[in-house]
Amino acid sequence: ASTLHPPPNRLPGAIRRTRLKRRGMPLRSVRGTIPRPLAAFTRHPPPPILIITYLPTTPKPIRNAQFGDNHPNLEALEAVIADATAQGCEKWVCMGDVVGYNANPGECLERVRAMDIPVVKGNHDEDASGDHSLESMNPIAAEALEWTRRQLSDEQREWLRKLRMVRQVEAFTVVHSTLDQPQSWNYVTNKFDAMSNFSYQFTNVCFHGHTHVPRVFVRSARVKEIPADSVQVEEGMKYFNNVGSVGQPRDGDWRASSVIYDIDSRTGIFRRLEYDLDTAQKKILAARLPEGLAARIAEGR
Ligand code: ZN
């Protein structure tokens, strides 16, 4: 073991001192820099050396998956989750309408709940979790909601009831319909509808759903609509983004809709995803839900 002891004249400090002396540098200036524990080297083996290297790292962009209006289409929901996972999404937000219309309310509710993510309340979540009359509703939606109420447990309905109307997530806001009157379930179909929302939007970016049509409204000096494909958020502007619908799109495209928002580069990417439509339709018919609900998901209306 004695071979491990560095001989006194080979001590790193001693070597350094000799070199500095040779270069004609004053020894005085070095003395203070020789670490005190070095003296122990003459009696004990040197302690193990731990090297910590700090490599410069580029921060990984945080990708946030925005999806909503699932309308318990489990096949479409799984397709959206798989896509966002493959795209590197680490965070998730749900725009509501977890239930209503389609055949897997309990399964989709549990799937979303298990993700433990921010979810805002949709009008179908409200109607499915309440006991109020649905007579004023369109008869097909009402029939599906009556059926949905029977499928959910009291505990699941309680979970829906407790969902919040508006959430702030990171630096953006999330709502099912609009920020000006979230409980009124207003539809935003043009820039004039969007204007009233912007008066209550205090973040640059807000995501919502409800119309089942992907859309982007921007407010700078005035409000305009821009294509919902890839949206780069610019400084000083406000963006009101409809993420479309996972389970029942209504823009003529049957594929499930969602948005991936890259928080660092402030870019929103609108996604359309194919899923097992056949299975989703068969389940609607097997549940004896209105047949029109099976037809419409194939047509995207
Ligand atoms: Zn909806």
Side-chain angles (χ1 to χ4, degrees):
S2 64
T3 52
L4 290 171
H5 296 215
N9 62 340
R10 296 289 303 279
L11 282 176
I15 294 164
R16 214 166 142 214
R17 251 191 290 192
T18 318
R19 278 193 195 144
L20 289 167
K21 223 177 191 176
R22 242 186 267 142
R23 287 183 210 149
M25 287 178 76
L27 195 55
R28 228 180 322 128
S29 62
V30 210
R31 262 183 206 143
T33 68
I34 298 165
R36 215 168 253 282
L38 219 54
F41 277 27
T42 54
R43 291 193 302 274
H44 305 287
I49 299 167
L50 177 69
I51 301 169
I52 300 169
T53 318
Y54 293 97
L55 292 170
T57 51
T58 20
K60 219 170 93 195
I62 294 176
R63 304 194 116 199
N64 198 308
Q66 317 279 333
F67 67 98
D69 291 284
N70 315 311
H71 289 292
N73 182 333
L74 188 59
E75 288 66 36
L77 179 61
E78 292 297 355
V80 166
I81 293 172
D83 173 67
T85 305
Q87 294 291 317
C89 287
E90 294 164 339
K91 299 194 172 185
W92 308 73
V93 180
C94 176
M95 301 311 122
D97 273 4
V98 178
V99 300
Y101 291 128
N102 296 325
N104 288 116
E107 292 84 349
C108 284
L109 185 151
E110 292 306 335
R111 185 74 171 95
V112 172
R113 173 153 66 168
M115 292 171 86
D116 193 20
I117 58 173
V119 182
V120 286
K121 188 187 280 186
N123 50 316
H124 285 256
D125 303 324
E126 183 172 270
D127 288 332
S129 60
D131 294 310
H132 53 276
S133 159
L134 302 168
E135 268 174 20
S136 60
M137 266 191 132
N138 113 38
I140 290 178
E143 189 182 335
L145 275 164
E146 293 285 9
W147 179 87
T148 302
R149 283 178 176 179
R150 294 196 297 273
Q151 306 305 311
L152 299 172
S153 68
D154 289 345
E155 193 270 334
Q156 288 171 326
R157 276 156 45 91
E158 180 68 9
W159 183 80
L160 289 173
R161 232 186 325 267
K162 281 184 177 164
L163 291 175
R164 280 151 59 184
M165 288 290 199
V166 181
R167 300 279 305 245
Q168 170 132 5
V169 184
E170 309 281 340
F172 54 83
T173 320
V174 186
V175 65
H176 183 68
S177 58
T178 64
L179 291 170
D180 51 323
Q181 281 182 307
Q183 71 290 346
S184 299
W185 312 115
N186 295 326
Y187 290 95
V188 177
T189 55
N190 56 54
K191 63 178 183 178
F192 302 102
D193 299 334
M195 275 176 197
S196 14
N197 172 82
F198 278 122
S199 315
Y200 289 82
Q201 184 178 321
F202 304 113
T203 52
N204 288 106
V205 180
C206 176
F207 292 98
H208 74 128
H210 196 39
T211 61
H212 299 204
V213 176
R215 270 210 157 97
V216 181
F217 293 97
V218 187
R219 190 178 86 172
S220 48
R222 54 180 60 185
V223 175
K224 63 175 178 181
E225 185 173 355
I226 60 169
D229 40 37
S230 174
V231 178
Q232 174 68 56
V233 172
E234 287 171 41
E235 209 58 55
M237 315 249 264
K238 281 184 182 176
Y239 296 76
F240 189 44
N241 311 283
N242 193 315
V243 301
S245 170
V246 171
Q248 194 197 73
R250 294 179 193 163
D251 60 345
D253 183 343
W254 68 275
R255 297 172 303 165
S257 177
S258 68
V259 172
I260 293 174
Y261 185 52
D262 187 316
I263 292 174
D264 294 321
S265 68
R266 309 221 292 175
T267 314
I269 299 142
F270 284 75
R271 312 277 299 165
R272 290 314 280 260
L273 305 151
E274 293 189 1
Y275 65 92
D276 185 356
L277 179 70
D278 194 45
T279 299
Q281 286 184 303
K282 280 180 182 152
K283 284 182 183 176
I284 293 169
L285 299 174
R288 297 178 179 273
L289 281 157
E291 284 180 18
L293 293 176
R296 73 187 295 181
I297 60 168
E299 291 159 18
R301 62 169 178 88

